[in-house]
Amino acid sequence: MSSKTSQYRRTGEFPEEYFVQECIDEHFGKKGFNRIEANCVDYVAEHPDTGDRWHIEAYGASAAIGLDFRLGLGQLIRGISHRNTKYALALPDIPQYRNQIKNIEPWVRRSLNLHWILVDREGGIAILEP
């Protein structure tokens, strides 16, 4: 995992937020993305060759999964500023979050270019495109 631990909260165990954030950092770093410091969301990265840009809000499991999910969506939507940016909510791959993502209509996700990034127990990443 990355050495950027001081900027994250909580511990590094699945399904906590820190674990999700570290897996995202590692995944995009291996793909050649450069992390950009930003206050709008947890993770912003751009690829120097392709120009692909991601804005990602990460959440872990909590006692208030539905509330966290809605807060994450609100933070992402508030920060939408460019059509070509990929926006994503990164979540641990657990049934409670899978149930939440089913409630967002596909046409809404396409309109917002909203991706789901699911992180499994081993740190594997699945990106579900709109």
Side-chain angles (χ1 to χ4, degrees), residues 4 7 34-45 53:
K4 298 180 178 109
Q7 63 191 333
N34 294 323
R35 184 169 187 163
I36 300 167
E37 290 303 318
N39 293 327
C40 58
V41 290
D42 290 325
Y43 188 84
V44 175
R53 188 175 178 101

Side-chain angles (χ1 to χ4, degrees), residues 6-76:
S6 63
Q7 63 191 333
Y8 299 135
R9 316 175 280 290
R10 302 185 184 178
T11 65
E13 295 180 16
F14 182 86
E16 293 193 2
E17 184 174 332
Y18 171 84
F19 181 87
V20 172
Q21 290 170 325
E22 283 290 295
C23 292
I24 295 299
D25 197 19
E26 184 175 312
H27 174 81
F28 284 93
K30 284 181 179 177
K31 293 194 171 290
F33 281 81
N34 294 323
R35 184 169 187 163
I36 300 167
E37 290 303 318
N39 293 327
C40 58
V41 290
D42 290 325
Y43 188 84
V44 175
E46 187 170 313
H47 197 283
D49 298 329
T50 65
D52 286 347
R53 188 175 178 101
W54 285 84
H55 284 211
I56 302 169
E57 186 62 34
Y59 277 85
S62 74
I65 295 239
L67 177 61
D68 287 346
F69 184 78
R70 291 186 300 276
L71 285 171
L73 285 177
Q75 287 176 288
L76 278 174

